Amino acid sequence: MILRNALRLRGSLDLSKYHNINSITSSLLHRQRFDRQASTYSDDKTTHFGFKNVGEKEKKEAVLSVFHSVADSYDLMNDAMSLGIHRVWKDAFMKKLDPGPNTKLLDVAGGTGDISFRFLDYVGKEAVNKDDGASVTVFDINASMLKVGEARASELGHTKGISFVQGDAQELPFEDNTFDCYTIAFGIRNVVKIDEALKEAHRVLKPGGRFMCLEFSKVKPQELESLYDLYSFQVIPPMGKILAGDWDSYQYLVESIRKFPDQDTFAEMIREAGFSFVTYEDYTFGVAAVHSGFKL
């Protein structure tokens, strides 16, 4: 992990002061925990990595390896996983979020910037340039994904109202009640302890803040499920090998979708994390779904 701009903690974290945050060291993360219990990983406790049962530490490292491998071809990966429809889903996702000119957004697992750039375009330059205007913090555990996002931000001219922070979704380095909105797109199924990530999302949101998650989900009706499985397992991994030279990462991504909770189960997990008014909307027959909840 490379630290380009170290932050000095002086009571509270004022995100508006920082526009070029590239990563945060583990010691800094610890200092921002405010004496709360840190999230831990254990190989004595098992979880799943795709269809394999592995230790928690092993999954964390394996997921990091997958996304380091696919970082430079991330758009290609999403095109393969969704037949290109992910771009339409993300546009609809941002329209549903409907951020205002002063919205402070935390975009988790957002390293390459797909959601964050849509946010900046949606609120407009005037909102970003004004004092205490709209801003987005791009947060990701993977340095390779963040590097891609930073390069894309520069290419697209997004130099204000955006910061990049490296860290763990299970242990967010932000104070309570910091953000107006929390988004996570195609990332939460890769988190080792989803329940802890959801609780952290609730913690850092302001009262009235909104949680929104876009994720691959369970296809409906059942007749389409077999066709989707055929495409997923027989087409996507070979496509990954041909287009990106990587079969195994694409195989994991397909398997991880099947291990992720269905729409109703995930909605209940969000409620258990403390959110209210939890709803979901299926996209493209449930290939993906958007879950939404509010912190009261």
Side-chain angles (χ1 to χ4, degrees), residues 7 10 26 47 67 71 74-75 79 119 129 140 172 189 191 198 205 211 246 287:
L7 306 183
R10 297 179 181 175
S26 58
T47 183
F67 284 92
Y74 185 69
D75 282 342
D79 285 336
F119 168 82
N129 289 332
D140 205 294
L172 297 173
R189 75 181 189 280
V191 174
L198 291 172
L205 280 170
F211 166 88
D246 189 343
V287 173

Side-chain angles (χ1 to χ4, degrees), residues 11-269:
S12 63
L13 177 64
D14 182 0
L15 294 174
S16 65
K17 295 179 182 178
Y18 308 106
H19 300 287
N20 295 298
I21 306 170
N22 296 339
S23 62
I24 295 181
T25 63
S26 58
S27 62
L28 180 57
L29 285 171
H30 176 73
R31 284 156 54 196
Q32 288 190 288
R33 292 309 297 159
F34 309 107
D35 298 323
R36 297 191 309 110
Q37 181 65 42
S39 178
T40 58
Y41 297 90
S42 171
D43 273 336
D44 294 330
K45 296 180 180 179
T46 59
T47 183
H48 57 81
F49 177 74
F51 290 157
K52 300 175 184 176
N53 290 323
V54 299
E56 291 176 346
K57 288 182 180 178
E58 184 179 352
K59 176 173 180 175
K60 178 185 177 183
E61 295 304 317
V63 169
L64 282 170
S65 177
V66 165
F67 284 92
H68 174 74
S69 174
V70 304
D72 291 331
S73 58
Y74 185 69
D75 282 342
L76 182 65
M77 179 198 76
N78 281 330
D79 285 336
M81 301 289 284
S82 69
L83 292 173
I85 304 173
H86 72 98
R87 302 171 193 275
V88 177
W89 295 339
K90 289 170 182 173
D91 288 342
F93 180 76
M94 187 53 56
K95 185 176 181 180
K96 186 179 183 73
L97 181 64
D98 190 26
N102 298 307
T103 297
K104 305 293 188 264
L105 170 65
L106 176 64
D107 183 29
V108 175
T112 61
D114 272 5
I115 298 301
S116 297
F117 301 151
R118 282 173 169 81
F119 168 82
L120 293 173
D121 290 339
Y122 192 96
V123 298
K125 290 184 177 180
E126 183 177 346
V128 171
N129 289 332
K130 71 177 184 177
D131 291 341
D132 199 34
S135 65
V136 56
T137 301
V138 186
F139 189 84
D140 205 294
I141 198 170
N142 193 294
S144 297
M145 298 286 279
L146 288 169
K147 287 179 181 178
V148 172
E150 287 182 299
R152 290 182 62 193
S154 180
E155 291 171 4
L156 294 170
H158 292 307
T159 58
K160 292 186 178 180
I162 186 169
S163 59
F164 292 82
V165 181
Q166 184 177 355
D168 192 330
Q170 294 174 199
E171 192 178 2
L172 297 173
F174 309 109
E175 286 191 345
D176 299 357
N177 309 318
T178 297
F179 298 96
D180 300 300
C181 298
Y182 173 117
T183 55
I184 182 166
F186 304 119
I188 201 154
R189 75 181 189 280
N190 301 304
V191 174
V192 176
K193 300 178 183 179
I194 294 173
D195 58 337
E196 289 193 10
L198 291 172
K199 290 175 183 177
E200 280 290 86
H202 188 272
R203 181 183 67 80
V204 301
L205 280 170
K206 299 175 184 177
R210 188 176 193 181
F211 166 88
M212 277 184 57
C213 173
L214 172 61
E215 187 54 88
F216 290 108
S217 198
K218 186 172 179 59
V219 173
K220 307 170 187 176
Q222 190 172 359
E223 291 77 11
L224 286 177
E225 188 173 2
S226 58
L227 181 62
Y228 182 54
D229 282 346
L230 179 66
Y231 173 75
S232 297
F233 289 99
Q234 301 301 320
V235 176
I236 291 177
M239 188 184 301
K241 181 66 175 178
I242 293 169
L243 298 178
D246 189 343
W247 180 298
D248 291 344
S249 293
Y250 285 74
Q251 181 72 30
Y252 157 72
L253 293 165
V254 168
E255 293 177 2
S256 69
I257 294 170
R258 300 313 185 277
K259 297 294 291 184
F260 189 70
D262 64 26
Q263 289 91 322
D264 290 318
T265 302
F266 185 51
E268 184 58 31
M269 293 175 69

